[in-house]
Amino acid sequence: MSRAGLRFWSAVLAIAVFLVDVLTPLEGAVAVLYVVTILLAAKTNRRDDTIVAATGCVVLTIIAYLLSHDLESIASPALRLLVSLAAIGITTLLALQNHAATKRLAAQARLLNLSHDMIFVRDRGGVITFWNKTAEQAFGWSADEALGQLADRLLQTTYPDRRETIEAGLLQTGRWEGRVQQRTKDGAVLIVDARWALQHDRRGKPVGVLETHTDVTERVAAHSALVQSEQRYRRMFDASRIGVVEEDWSEVRAALQSLDTADANVRDYLVQHPDFVRHVRRLAGITDVNPALQAIAGANGAAIFTENVDRLLGENDRNFLGALVAFAEGEPFYEGETELVRLDGRKVPVLFTITFPSGPDGDRNVLTFVIDVTERKQAQDALLAAQAELAHAARVATLGELSASIAHEVNQPLAAIVTSGEAGLRWLRRDKPDLKEVAATIVHIVAQGRRASEVVARIRTFLKKAPAQRDSLDVAEIIQEAALLVARELANDDVVLTVETEPGLKPIRGDRIQLQQVLVNLLVNAGQAMSDQPGSRTVTLRASAVDPERLAIAVQDSGPGIRPDDMPRLFDPFFTTKRGGMGMGLAICRTTVEAHGGQLSAESTPGAGATFRLTLPYDQENTRP
Ligand code: ADP
C-alpha cells in the first residue's frame, strides 16, 4: 500500500474508533484500538507520520472522554483513559525505535549501492535477497526483477570448477574467490572476478552468501589481445626468412646521455672518439636471435650467435658508428650493406636495417633485420660478365660493319673505274684510236680511284666516331657533284636524271664527301630499282627550303616502289632484297644524315615509285644568302 493510502486508512480508523468511543457505552476501553492506527501510520516509515498519528489519537481519546463524562464522575473511566493513553504512548515509542533501526539499515544498504562492484546477497538456497545498483546496471536486471530469483539461473553462471566443490570450500573456509562467466539480461557475456563471503546467524549457522563481483571483461580482452599480438610477433620472428636480432640499447642511450656534448655535435664527437664507440658497442645487449639469422651466421642456437657476435660482425665499426649517430640523432632507422663472417669463416654479403622504435620501451626493442644477398650478388656478377661479353661482341660486330661498309662504298667507284677502263680500251682499239677520249677516261679513272681512297678514309673515321669534317657547304654544289659521279652509271641504264635546286638556299654545315655519298647511294638505288623496268625511267633530285631552320632534298624515282612489308626494316643494316646486295647503303645514309642533325625517311606508293627525303639544318654560324 502506498504512503498516502496508509495515511488515509490510519485517519479513517482513528475517526471510526473515536465515533465508537463517543457513541457507544463501551466507556473508553475501545480507545486501545488507536494502537492499530499508530501501527498503520508507522508503516509509512516516516517518523513525522507516527508522531502526528499518536498526537491525533491522544487528542481524540481525551475529547471522547470529555464528551462522554462530566468532570464529577471520573474515578474508573479516568483509569481506563490512562490505560488507553499508556497503550498509545508505548506503541508510539516502539514504532519510533523501529523506525530509527530501519533508517540505519537503509543507510548501510545505500553504502553498498555506492560500490563499483556488483554486490548481491543470496540465501543458502541460492535465492537473491539483496541486489545493488551496480548489479542492476551491469547485469541489466532491476532489483525488483532480481530479488527472489535463483542467482545461478538468472546469471547463467559458468564456474571454473564443479559447483559442489566450490560450495563445499565456501562452507569450510567461509570464503571463495575465482573468475566466473555470467550473462547479462541482453545475453552478453561478462567475465567477472567473484569474491564470496559466508554470513552466519548468531548461533553460527550459515544463512546467506555476500557475493561481490568485479567486471574484468575489458581487462581480459585487452590482455588476450596483448598475448595474441605477442604470439603473432613470435611466429613472425621464428618463421621469417629474414634474419632478425633483438637488442637492448638502453645502456647505449645512458652512455650517450652521460656525454658532455653540449657544445660539440654528437656526430663529430663520435667520429673523433673511436674508443668510446667501441665501448658503447659492447653495451648493446642481444636479447634474441631468430632461426633465420642463426642459419645465415652458421650458428647453432641463439646463445652461440651471442657469444660469437664480435667474430660475426668483424671490424664493422664504421657501420656501428653510422647506426649510433642515427640512434643519437633520433632517426627511426639506419640501413646499410655489410659482410658477416660466418662461424665457418665464409663471408656472407648482407643488407641490414636497424630500427629504433619510439616510445617508453623503444630502446629495449631495437630490431635489426638482415637479408642474405649472396645470390643477388652472384646474379649481379653474372650480369656484369654478360655485359662485358656483349661489349666485346659489339666491337666484333663493329669490325664486321666496317668491312661491310668499305666494301659497299668502294664498290661504286670501282664499278665506275671498270666502266671507264673498258670505254678507254674501246677508244684505243679503234682503227684510229681517239687519244683525247682515252685521256678523258683515264682522268675519270684517276678521279674515281682517288674518291675510293677518300671514301675508305671517311668511313674509318666515321666508325671510329671521330669528329667528321664540319665545313660550310653549298647544297647546290654537293648535288651537282653527286649527279656528276653517277651520271655515267645512270646513263648506261637509260635513266633520265633531273635536278631541281631552289635558288638562294642557305648553306649547311657538314662533311662534303659523306653527304655526297648519301646522295650517290640514293641515286644508285633508284637506278638499280628501275633497271628491269620497261618504259621511261626517271629520277628527280629536288632541293628546297622547308622552314627557316631546314632544307630538304628529295630523290624521287619512277620505279616499282617499296613493298609495305619491307618499309619498317628498310634502314636496318644488312636488309636487302637484291641478289648480291649488302643492305648497308640506307643504314649508312641514315646514320650520316642524323650525324648532321637531320633526318632521312622514305615514302612509297607501290607501283608508282619511291621517294627518299632527307632534311638538313642550315649552318647557324654562317648564314650566307
Ligand atoms: P642494298 O642496295 O645493298 O640492297 P640498301 O640499304 O641501299 O642496300 O637498300 C636496302 C633495300 O631497300 C634494297 O634492297 C631495296 O629493296 C630497297 N630500296 C632501296 N632504294 C629503293 C628504291 N629507290 N626503290 C625500291 N626499293 C628500294
Side-chain angles (χ1 to χ4, degrees):
M1 203 184 292
S2 72
R3 233 171 234 162
L6 287 168
R7 283 180 194 140
F8 173 75
W9 286 115
S10 154
V12 168
L13 192 69
I15 290 164
V17 173
F18 174 73
L19 290 176
V20 172
D21 194 7
V22 174
L23 302 176
T24 61
L26 287 174
E27 297 279 321
V30 78
V32 173
L33 288 177
Y34 281 126
V35 168
V36 181
T37 306
I38 293 166
L39 287 177
L40 260 182
K43 265 197 153 316
T44 63
N45 273 340
R46 289 286 175 96
R47 199 166 172 273
D48 294 351
D49 286 348
T50 314
I51 293 169
V52 168
T55 318
C57 291
V58 168
V59 171
L60 287 176
T61 311
I62 295 173
I63 292 173
Y65 173 77
L66 289 178
L67 287 177
S68 319
H69 311 91
D70 43 34
L71 286 169
E72 289 119 50
S73 52
I74 33 172
S76 111
L79 205 63
R80 279 198 292 277
L81 165 74
L82 283 178
V83 170
S84 299
L85 288 179
I88 291 170
I90 290 164
T91 310
T92 307
L93 212 66
L94 286 175
L96 287 177
Q97 265 178 3
N98 181 46
H99 178 255
T102 313
K103 210 170 153 189
R104 230 179 8 256
L105 274 176
Q108 281 166 358
R110 264 204 303 281
L111 269 184
L112 289 179
N113 273 337
L114 287 180
S115 167
H116 288 289
D117 292 331
M118 298 90 95
I119 299 175
F120 63 89
V121 178
R122 58 172 172 88
D123 62 19
R124 287 297 322 281
V127 174
I128 298 169
T129 56
F130 174 79
W131 187 256
N132 82 339
K133 273 267 169 328
T134 313
E136 282 189 329
Q137 285 156 4
F139 291 118
W141 301 103
S142 70
D144 283 347
E145 289 169 321
L147 294 179
Q149 300 280 343
L150 272 174
D152 281 351
R153 194 181 312 148
L154 185 75
L155 302 174
Q156 301 177 39
T157 313
T158 317
Y159 292 93
D161 204 346
R162 281 182 50 232
R163 186 74 177 79
E164 299 78 40
T165 318
I166 292 174
E167 201 67 21
L170 177 70
L171 281 177
Q172 209 170 26
T173 62
R175 294 192 170 271
W176 180 78
E177 280 185 23
R179 184 162 290 179
V180 299
Q181 196 176 303
Q182 292 175 321
R183 275 180 193 276
T184 66
K185 188 176 180 182
D186 300 337
V189 174
L190 295 186
I191 298 170
V192 172
D193 274 349
R195 289 179 303 284
W196 294 359
L198 198 60
Q199 280 183 316
H200 298 94
D201 64 10
R202 227 173 294 149
R203 276 168 293 156
K205 209 173 127 225
V207 285
V209 182
L210 177 79
E211 297 198 8
T212 309
H213 290 190
T214 312
D215 181 1
V216 291
T217 314
E218 278 177 21
R219 208 192 306 159
V220 169
H223 179 73
S224 77
L226 203 70
V227 169
Q228 255 180 20
S229 152
E230 171 66 16
Q231 279 172 349
R232 250 199 321 267
Y233 169 72
R234 264 296 119 192
R235 273 202 298 278
M236 270 161 57
F237 187 82
D238 288 339
S240 166
R241 289 188 57 210
I242 295 173
V244 189
V245 52
E246 271 179 11
E247 288 183 346
D248 180 350
W249 281 39
S250 43
E251 283 187 38
V252 176
R253 174 80 71 204
L256 285 172
Q257 277 167 351
S258 71
L259 284 182
D260 187 19
T261 54
D263 310 329
N265 96 26
V266 186
R267 177 188 292 267
D268 292 347
Y269 180 89
L270 294 176
V271 171
Q272 287 157 16
H273 295 83
D275 285 347
F276 176 77
V277 173
R278 261 193 295 280
H279 159 69
V280 170
R281 188 171 147 182
R282 278 189 287 277
L283 297 179
I286 294 179
T287 347
D288 206 350
V289 182
N290 82 337
L293 188 53
Q294 294 168 24
I296 292 174
N300 198 3
I304 297 178
F305 183 99
T306 311
E307 282 161 22
N308 293 289
V309 68
D310 285 338
R311 227 174 99 194
L312 290 165
L313 290 177
E315 276 309 304
N316 281 322
D317 271 341
R318 209 163 46 86
N319 270 322
F320 183 75
L321 174 69
L324 195 60
V325 169
F327 180 66
E329 290 180 345
E331 299 288 337
F333 63 86
Y334 176 77
E335 52 191 6
E337 204 172 341
T338 186
E339 260 182 357
L340 282 187
V341 187
R342 279 171 57 95
L343 290 186
D344 58 18
R346 189 156 60 81
K347 288 187 172 170
V348 188
V350 295
L351 293 180
F352 68 88
T353 302
I354 307 180
T355 59
F356 306 116
S358 51
D361 254 357
D363 291 351
R364 293 186 192 285
N365 288 304
V366 172
L367 291 179
T368 304
F369 299 91
V370 181
I371 305 175
D372 179 351
V373 288
T374 310
E375 281 175 24
R376 213 167 75 175
K377 265 256 149 49
Q378 282 166 353
Q380 218 167 30
D381 292 349
L383 192 73
L384 284 178
Q387 266 170 359
E389 250 171 61
L390 216 64
H392 180 68
R395 274 201 297 277
V396 173
T398 309
L399 225 71
E401 211 173 307
L402 175 69
S403 37
S405 304
I406 291 172
H408 178 270
E409 297 296 276
V410 171
N411 221 14
Q412 190 267 331
L414 281 180
I417 287 169
V418 171
T419 315
S420 298
E422 283 168 356
L425 277 178
R426 277 199 299 278
W427 288 117
L428 264 179
R429 282 182 191 140
R430 281 190 168 191
D431 297 342
K432 206 171 151 208
D434 187 337
L435 289 180
K436 230 171 110 202
E437 282 294 341
V438 173
T441 53
I442 291 175
V443 167
H444 199 71
I445 287 169
V446 171
Q448 291 289 356
R450 282 224 180 88
R451 195 179 150 64
S453 67
E454 270 179 359
V455 166
V456 170
R458 288 301 152 90
I459 289 174
R460 268 170 50 192
T461 51
F462 182 60
L463 286 174
K464 265 198 277 174
K465 302 259 184 270
Q469 298 275 94
R470 291 283 166 189
D471 303 320
S472 189
L473 306 170
D474 181 2
V475 181
E477 276 175 31
I478 293 175
I479 289 177
Q480 274 309 323
E481 285 164 8
L484 262 178
L485 285 168
V486 291
R488 218 174 265 264
E489 222 170 311
L490 292 179
N492 283 348
D493 283 337
D494 292 331
V495 175
V496 182
L497 171 65
T498 318
V499 178
E500 295 171 8
T501 312
E502 193 181 295
L505 284 175
K506 287 187 274 185
I508 55 168
R509 182 164 281 272
D511 186 307
R512 173 186 294 271
I513 303 288
Q514 280 185 5
L515 290 176
Q516 268 177 16
Q517 277 304 105
V518 171
L519 295 181
V520 167
N521 267 318
L522 296 177
L523 290 169
V524 170
N525 272 351
Q528 286 173 349
M530 295 183 293
S531 61
D532 294 337
Q533 180 175 291
S536 82
R537 301 169 183 176
T538 59
V539 180
T540 312
L541 218 174
R542 199 178 289 123
S544 56
V546 182
D547 54 37
E549 307 287 310
R550 298 171 303 159
L551 59 80
I553 303 172
V555 180
Q556 187 178 8
D557 64 51
S558 61
I562 301 155
R563 292 197 314 130
D565 284 356
D566 293 342
M567 263 305 186
R569 297 176 295 156
L570 206 62
F571 294 94
D572 289 353
F574 305 112
F575 170 74
T576 181
T577 57
K578 296 171 199 164
R579 190 182 309 160
M582 219 149 37
M584 287 305 296
L586 290 180
I588 293 173
C589 286
R590 179 171 263 185
T591 320
T592 307
V593 172
E594 284 174 358
H596 281 78
Q599 279 166 341
L600 173 62
S601 60
E603 54 199 65
S604 164
T605 323
T611 305
F612 285 82
R613 201 176 131 84
L614 63 97
T615 57
L616 287 168
Y618 292 125
D619 178 7
Q620 294 296 320
E621 292 169 28
N622 186 2
T623 42
R624 262 189 319 193

